[in-house]
Amino acid sequence: MSSANTSAAGQGLANRFNLQQYVVYLGFLAIFLFFAVVLRDSGFLTVRNLSNIVLQTAPATIMAIGLVFVMSAGEIDLSIGSTVAVAALAAAVTLGQYGLIAGVLTGLGAGLLVGLLNGALVAYVKLPSFLVTLATLGLFAGVSRSMTDLRSIPVTDSVFTGFFGSGAFLGIPSLIWWTAIAVAIGHIIYRETRFGAHVLATGDNARAASVSGISVPRIRLAVMAISGCLAGLAGLLYAGRLQAAKYTLGETDLMTVIAAVIVGGTLLNGGRGSIIGALVGSLMMGMLNNGLILMGLSVSDQMIVRGLIILAAVAVSLREKSR
Amino acid sequence: MIPSEANAPVLKLQDIHKTFSGITAIENFSLEVYPGEIVALVGDNGAGKSTLIKIISGVYSPTSGTISIEGETVTMSNATMARSHGIEVVYQDLALADQQSVYMNMFLGREPVNGFGLLDRRRMIAETESLVKELDVRIPSAHATIRDLSGGQRQGVAIARATHWASKLILLDEPTAALGVAETAKVEEIVLSLKRRNIGVLIISHSLDQVFRLSDRICVLRRGKQIGVRETAKTDKNEIIAMITGLQPV
Ligand SMILES: Nc1ncnc2c1ncn2[C@@H]1O[C@H](COP(=O)(O)OP(=O)(O)OP(=O)(O)O)[C@@H](O)[C@H]1O
Ligand SMILES: [Mg+2]
């Protein structure tokens, strides 16, 4: 929100508004400082470790951008994890047989198709997105398992792995480029276009949007398609970085991505959100992951601590937002 | 201003029927609204007033009957078409997006964009501020979020939006139901200014005092049936009350 308020009352609103907006940045800073102190001898603060965090969170950040659109429109997409796997596998298989372009297009296309399927069921059959995407989550988890009989498919095309994984351009790793470009484009579309405004209006008050001439079904279809497509891109990034695709890709990302989006200031019920907030939320989740590993917690303890911290973070940001 | 019969009616409803899954909500409704005329639609709760407004604005399509705008029969399958005909509505529930700013609501669905296809916020804010000033609806700022406004201020935003965009006809569904005395007077002033702009007004109100203050004609609805239309100057409250309730005047 621009904050050039003119009157005293407007100023008061702006102050309260800023507070809720900055919760994610304060949380990010707090966790960063905590690890910086506690883990000062364990290499947390090294450039290498910090840039690793950004690289590792790239797929989750990309998915989070899609979810900001979905949740702002008052919907949810639980199927992103399965979409990632299906897209990565589809890309890997096609890549091996038909080359680079075909592989990339198939990966993104697979994500888009899942998104369109979700979107059509939500927008035109008028089923709740929670149930639709819960079903497609299971459906495509099954599809990704049967696609290659649970086998991992190696990705050897060096152009692909460079472009979507380990490469760099102008000295900056390609995964950081992908993150930056997706965040920038996502932010502009979300904040500065009519489409973005209509997404928010739809999530805020679908009836008001509809009587204002906004095609609510088309908005719902579009946000689900965007989410699917970005999950497809996340699948390509996983395949590029790990140089392989497997049905397990993205399996555990759902909780992280939803947490990142909510902590980042997007309302669960729609009508308000932030792409930049989701980016910071996603980096915060990545940092948490990284710090807990460096602290030497066992995998089960990591999960417990992460769950608790997400709970706390989500509770704080939701409380802040409900006035 | 008395509507001149030489003018074509801006809105003409003929034999409108509406049933909701077999249950009749509106039957045999016919009414004309002329440019610059204020017609009041009265009736008890559930009489079908809001349903009628939604039929005119394209939210519901009538089961049968015709709607003409400036002499041309139109079929409206959605709200966009009514708006493109210069019809604006203040719905009973206001139809505001609560978490968006005043200026975004003012331009909801019609946001101006600049040469790059990006939202022209500066223009939206400027136009909102001048409109708010012109209509004297007291809103803290064009940036204020709707949910932070009082009921009266929200009502003001919805009315300002409708008056801003209306070119032919405005439909007001209980625009002063939630308002205090001063705010009600202000809204009535705005309604009269629409009349001066030669815009037709169809207003629903439960306040007969208000109806008699504002309207040129009064149309009474009871349980979906059109009981009658009276010229305001040639009727009185007792007659209208009798028509609304179906009981004989004492
Ligand atoms: N979408 C709908 N589906 C089924 N029935 C409806 C629908 N909308 C309205 N009705 C019915 O139509 C009748 C008229 O309702 P309407 O809202 O038009 O009344 P009203 O005159 O505006 O009343 P009020 O003064 O309380 O606002 C009511 O019996 C209502 O239950
Ligand atoms: Mg009503």
Side-chain angles (χ1 to χ4, degrees), chain B residues 20 25 43-52 60 92 173-174 206:
Chain B
F20 288 111
D44 269 336
N45 294 123
K49 305 180 298 296
S50 295
T51 304
L52 204 58
Y60 298 148
Q92 197 163 8
D173 197 345
E174 301 191 29
H206 285 292

Side-chain angles (χ1 to χ4, degrees), chain B residues 120-138:
Chain B
D120 193 346
R121 287 181 197 274
R122 194 185 297 238
R123 185 171 141 204
M124 290 193 274
I125 292 163
E127 285 190 24
T128 301
E129 278 171 354
S130 74
L131 191 69
V132 160
K133 199 173 295 170
E134 183 192 328
L135 297 179
D136 195 22
V137 280
R138 301 231 165 77

Side-chain angles (χ1 to χ4, degrees), chain B:
Chain B
M1 190 208 294
I2 302 296
S4 92
E5 296 294 327
N7 280 350
V10 61
L11 173 74
K12 182 170 181 172
L13 302 173
Q14 271 174 303
D15 265 339
I16 299 287
H17 280 254
K18 177 68 188 176
T19 57
F20 288 111
S21 48
I23 297 160
T24 302
I26 301 283
E27 51 184 311
N28 277 327
F29 191 91
S30 299
L31 181 69
E32 292 170 2
V33 180
Y34 289 87
E37 185 188 28
I38 300 176
V39 177
L41 191 57
V42 298
D44 269 336
N45 294 123
K49 305 180 298 296
S50 295
T51 304
L52 204 58
I53 293 272
K54 287 176 186 165
I55 289 171
I56 302 167
S57 66
V59 173
Y60 298 148
S61 47
T63 312
S64 69
T66 57
I67 304 174
S68 324
I69 292 165
E70 292 188 329
E72 237 174 274
T73 305
V74 293
T75 42
M76 290 185 288
S77 50
N78 58 51
T80 319
M81 293 170 76
R83 298 194 324 169
S84 69
H85 283 110
I87 300 178
E88 286 296 319
V89 193
V90 176
Y91 291 97
Q92 197 163 8
D93 69 358
L94 304 184
L96 295 172
D98 271 5
Q99 299 179 82
Q100 314 306 315
S101 61
V102 170
Y103 73 84
M104 284 308 272
N105 271 279
M106 205 65 89
F107 288 86
L108 201 57
R110 296 184 265 222
E111 304 82 357
V113 291
N114 62 21
F116 301 103
L118 303 179
L119 292 175
D120 193 346
R121 287 181 197 274
R122 194 185 297 238
R123 185 171 141 204
M124 290 193 274
I125 292 163
E127 285 190 24
T128 301
E129 278 171 354
S130 74
L131 191 69
V132 160
K133 199 173 295 170
E134 183 192 328
L135 297 179
D136 195 22
V137 280
R138 301 231 165 77
I139 288 157
S141 135
H143 297 272
T145 305
I146 296 293
R147 69 163 190 200
D148 293 327
L149 300 181
S150 75
Q153 290 170 327
R154 286 168 200 232
Q155 192 75 257
V157 173
I159 290 172
R161 174 171 64 184
T163 55
H164 181 57
W165 295 101
S167 62
K168 288 186 191 140
L169 179 67
I170 199 160
L171 312 172
L172 301 158
D173 197 345
E174 301 191 29
T176 59
L179 302 187
V181 179
E183 285 78 7
T184 299
K186 199 161 288 165
V187 168
E188 290 180 3
E189 216 173 275
I190 294 173
V191 171
L192 290 171
S193 77
L194 291 167
K195 183 186 176 71
R196 285 193 294 275
R197 271 168 60 192
N198 216 29
I199 289 171
V201 178
L202 186 60
I203 180 170
I204 295 177
S205 175
H206 285 292
S207 155
L208 286 186
D209 285 332
Q210 177 172 65
V211 165
F212 274 83
R213 270 198 302 275
L214 290 179
S215 68
D216 299 303
R217 286 188 297 148
I218 303 171
C219 171
V220 182
L221 210 57
R222 191 195 321 141
R223 293 202 202 143
K225 284 200 185 73
Q226 188 173 22
I227 303 302
V229 185
R230 296 286 182 274
E231 276 184 41
T232 310
K234 296 180 184 163
T235 184
D236 56 30
K237 275 186 202 161
N238 284 338
E239 186 187 17
I240 298 298
I241 289 170
M243 289 166 79
I244 292 173
T245 57
L247 304 171
Q248 288 308 307
V250 265

Side-chain angles (χ1 to χ4, degrees), chain A residues 61-250:
Chain A
T61 304
I62 303 278
M63 284 184 260
I65 293 168
L67 204 58
V68 171
F69 279 95
V70 170
M71 280 171 51
S72 297
E75 306 295 337
I76 187 73
D77 187 352
L78 303 176
S79 71
I80 45 178
S82 306
T83 310
V84 165
V86 167
L89 284 166
V93 171
T94 330
L95 194 64
Q97 287 174 10
Y98 303 101
L100 180 68
I101 307 284
V104 171
L105 290 181
T106 309
L108 293 176
L112 180 63
L113 279 180
V114 175
L116 286 173
L117 173 66
N118 287 334
L121 291 171
V122 170
Y124 298 105
V125 188
K126 304 205 185 303
L127 300 173
S129 54
F130 179 83
L131 296 178
V132 166
T133 59
L134 188 63
T136 51
L137 163 72
L139 175 65
F140 289 102
V143 168
S144 65
R145 280 162 174 74
S146 70
M147 269 168 89
T148 56
D149 289 329
L150 306 185
R151 275 180 299 119
S152 166
I153 306 292
V155 173
T156 49
D157 189 313
S158 64
V159 179
F160 182 90
T161 56
F163 201 59
F164 292 105
S166 52
F169 177 64
L170 301 177
I172 295 171
S174 52
L175 287 174
I176 294 185
W177 277 110
W178 281 112
T179 305
I181 291 170
V183 166
I185 294 178
H187 177 76
I188 289 172
I189 292 178
Y190 187 75
R191 290 283 306 144
E192 301 299 337
T193 67
R194 297 188 71 198
F195 173 74
H198 294 179
V199 166
L200 286 164
T202 298
D204 197 334
N205 185 343
R207 214 191 65 77
S210 163
V211 300
S212 301
I214 295 167
S215 170
V216 168
R218 215 180 302 161
I219 294 290
R220 290 185 174 144
L221 177 69
V223 293
M224 299 311 282
I226 288 173
S227 179
C229 210
L230 287 176
L233 176 58
L236 297 184
L237 298 183
Y238 268 127
R241 185 162 62 89
L242 304 173
Q243 312 200 338
K246 205 178 179 211
Y247 68 90
T248 50
L249 290 183

